[in-house]
Amino acid sequence: MTSSKSKTIQTMKPETAAKKLGVLLSATPAEFQAGVVSRDELNELQSTPPAWLADLRRNGPHPKQVVAAKLGVSISGLARAGITEPLTTAEIDALKAENPAWLERERSVQAEARKEALRLKQR
């Protein structure tokens, strides 16, 4: 006898889905924040993002991991610089244009960390 088990649908909390999408949960629509997201829904959002998701990815506000990546620094570097709030793309661009001393310093720290990681990987 073979029993066919129905396939269970994998779901995740909105926080997890927002992190996987690279957006700030508090900036997403209320219906996204209120429900659960299935793996299929996440794949659909990634492959064909709706207007709200495309706008969030383009303009922000961005979560700290995205801000750090756009500035070329670590999340710790952001914290050392006192940046704890999400930033918009315009704010990130303004920081890049201003290029304060902390940003140059943190970028060089990040570059050294990458070099060291590469060196250790090649051993």
Side-chain angles (χ1 to χ4, degrees):
M1 252 208 263
T2 59
S3 64
S4 61
K5 292 183 179 178
S6 62
K7 188 176 181 181
T8 59
I9 297 173
Q10 288 182 317
T11 60
M12 61 192 84
K13 295 177 182 174
E15 296 88 6
T16 305
K19 188 172 185 175
K20 289 180 181 284
L21 293 169
V23 296
L24 196 64
L25 178 64
S26 61
T28 61
E31 58 272 5
F32 180 86
Q33 294 177 34
V36 294
V37 180
S38 73
R39 173 65 62 188
D40 291 338
E41 290 169 332
L42 179 69
N43 291 339
E44 180 69 22
L45 287 169
Q46 289 174 324
S47 63
T48 54
W52 65 264
L53 180 55
D55 185 53
L56 271 179
R57 287 178 168 169
R58 185 175 36 259
N59 301 319
H62 302 288
K64 61 186 166 191
Q65 65 269 21
V66 174
V67 173
K70 286 180 178 272
L71 289 173
V73 300
S74 66
I75 294 173
S76 299
L78 288 177
R80 284 190 291 271
I83 297 178
T84 57
E85 297 298 315
L87 298 179
T88 64
T89 301
E91 292 168 327
I92 293 168
D93 291 343
L95 268 175
K96 285 179 180 179
E98 182 184 321
N99 200 22
W102 71 264
L103 183 56
E104 284 186 40
R105 185 177 56 254
E106 291 300 335
R107 282 180 171 167
S108 68
V109 167
Q110 185 74 351
E112 286 300 317
R114 285 188 185 126
K115 275 191 224 173
E116 182 64 12
L118 183 61
R119 185 187 70 79
L120 292 173
K121 186 178 177 183
Q122 291 175 342
R123 290 175 112 190

